[in-house]
Amino acid sequence: MDKNALSRATDSSSAPTPGYLYNDIARSLVTPMACAETCNYLVGRLGKSSVHVKRKSLKVLAKVAASPASRGMMKRTVVQNPATITAIKEAAQYRGQSDAVH
């Protein structure tokens, strides 16, 4: 697990995540244990209050799971843990505070 790449990919700024980070993260998942650690880290990031962190964490999960470099290990890791699925569903349904202007 490349914690530095994961923290840069899920930072709280509104700037987009560089595309090469998705590939770097997917290539670092060479064992099922690395997939589990990465998944746990991203699920922990889903619990943060920043909407940018939630969105970026969901996007990293989606991109890494779809990447051929992870060889389907990330998909299996997510499916095997019901708490992960629940956290992803809750983060996908998250609606932040309403904007005062609108």
Side-chain angles (χ1 to χ4, degrees):
M1 176 176 85
D2 187 3
K3 201 166 199 171
N4 187 24
L6 285 169
S7 64
R8 286 188 306 161
T10 60
D11 66 346
S12 62
S13 70
S14 62
T17 301
Y20 70 89
L21 282 177
Y22 300 125
N23 293 328
D24 290 348
I25 294 167
R27 275 189 252 127
S28 73
L29 304 177
V30 294
T31 64
M33 182 61 78
C35 283
E37 290 173 358
T38 301
C39 188
N40 290 336
Y41 178 84
L42 291 171
V43 168
R45 297 290 285 172
L46 288 175
K48 301 292 182 186
S49 61
S50 171
V51 69
H52 300 298
V53 173
K54 288 180 187 291
R55 182 182 56 85
K56 288 180 180 183
S57 297
L58 287 172
K59 190 159 186 175
V60 169
L61 275 167
K63 292 281 189 178
V64 170
S67 173
S70 69
R71 297 175 304 280
M73 283 191 293
M74 182 58 87
K75 289 179 190 175
R76 282 190 294 275
T77 302
V78 169
V79 170
Q80 290 173 349
N81 190 351
T84 301
I85 295 171
T86 303
I88 291 171
K89 286 180 180 180
E90 287 175 2
Q93 296 297 320
Y94 179 76
R95 301 293 180 246
Q97 296 176 347
S98 60
D99 190 12
V101 175
H102 294 91

